[in-house]
């Protein structure tokens, strides 16, 4: 009987801690301090092993945090990665959020035309869906777009 518990215990320890990564990404996504957000994301051992949806959220969070810290190149890199992964995966929610975040970043950089283009991409995605989360994101993109003018 003891051998059985040792085998079960070793299997549990050897399996990846996806639940822990979910929690870290969620905490980082909801964190208002970008430094703390990046610290939480740094605890994830291998982001490549995350599911596509969770990895998209991870990349979005990382892109937003870098943008909040004024690291424009890093922010754009992670936001573009998020957008491409999300579009390839068919998870348009995170692609839409990525376009919106990219639009905000470009707006702050004074790149009005590129910013509006990014907001339009976000809006085009949001208009395909009636779910509440898409409507909320659509309102945010419209508000952000209005701020460009």
């Amino acid at each position: 009987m003891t051998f059985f518990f040792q085998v079960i215990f070793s299997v549990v320890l050897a399996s990846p801690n996806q639940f822990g990564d979910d929690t870290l990404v969620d905490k980082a996504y909801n964190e208002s301090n970008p430094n703390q957000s990046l610290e939480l994301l740094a605890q994830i051992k291998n982001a490549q092993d995350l599911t596509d949806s969770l990895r998209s959220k991870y990349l979005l969070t990382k892109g937003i945090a870098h943008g909040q810290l004024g690291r424009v190149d890093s922010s754009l890199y992670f936001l573009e990665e998020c957008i491409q992964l999300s579009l390839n995966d068919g998870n348009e929610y995170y692609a839409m959020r990525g376009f919106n975040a990219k639009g905000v970043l470009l707006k702050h950089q004074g790149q009005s035309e590129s910013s509006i283009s990014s907001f339009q991409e976000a809006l085009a995605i949001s208009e395909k869906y009636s779910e509440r989360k898409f409507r909320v994101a659509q309102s945010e993109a419209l508000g952000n777009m209005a701020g460009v003018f």
Side-chain angles (χ1 to χ4, degrees):
M1 191 69 143
T2 305
F3 177 72
F4 175 75
F5 287 115
Q6 288 175 340
V7 170
I8 296 297
F9 187 68
S10 65
V11 168
V12 169
L13 288 178
S15 60
N17 189 0
Q18 188 66 39
F19 179 76
D21 289 345
D22 286 351
T23 302
L24 288 170
V25 171
D26 285 342
K27 284 183 178 182
Y29 182 78
N30 294 315
E31 178 60 54
S32 59
N33 179 332
N35 288 312
Q36 183 64 33
S37 182
L38 291 173
E39 286 177 23
L40 288 165
L41 294 176
Q43 293 177 38
I44 296 173
K45 301 286 185 245
N46 191 353
Q48 298 296 327
D49 291 340
L50 299 174
T51 63
D52 285 346
S53 179
L54 187 59
R55 187 160 172 252
S56 291
K57 189 174 185 179
Y58 167 91
L59 291 167
L60 174 66
T61 304
K62 203 163 189 173
I64 291 171
H66 280 288
Q68 290 172 329
L69 293 170
R71 301 175 188 153
V72 177
D73 290 340
S74 294
S75 179
L76 286 173
Y77 172 80
F78 290 114
L79 292 174
E80 284 296 331
E81 289 287 310
C82 168
I83 292 166
Q84 291 308 311
L85 175 64
S86 299
L87 291 174
N88 290 340
D89 183 39
N91 186 342
E92 290 189 300
Y93 178 73
Y94 288 117
M96 177 193 57
R97 300 301 287 186
F99 280 122
N100 190 42
K102 181 180 173 184
V104 170
L105 182 68
L106 294 170
K107 178 177 75 169
H108 290 296
Q109 294 300 308
Q111 298 180 35
S112 300
E113 289 180 24
S114 296
S115 175
I116 290 171
S117 177
S118 192
F119 290 136
Q120 288 172 332
E121 292 282 352
L123 289 171
I125 293 171
S126 71
E127 290 171 356
K128 296 189 229 176
Y129 300 91
S130 60
E131 293 173 61
R132 185 178 189 286
K133 66 181 182 179
F134 284 94
R135 295 288 146 231
V136 169
Q138 182 182 43
S139 297
E140 291 171 4
L142 285 169
N144 289 332
M145 185 184 284
V148 174
F149 297 105

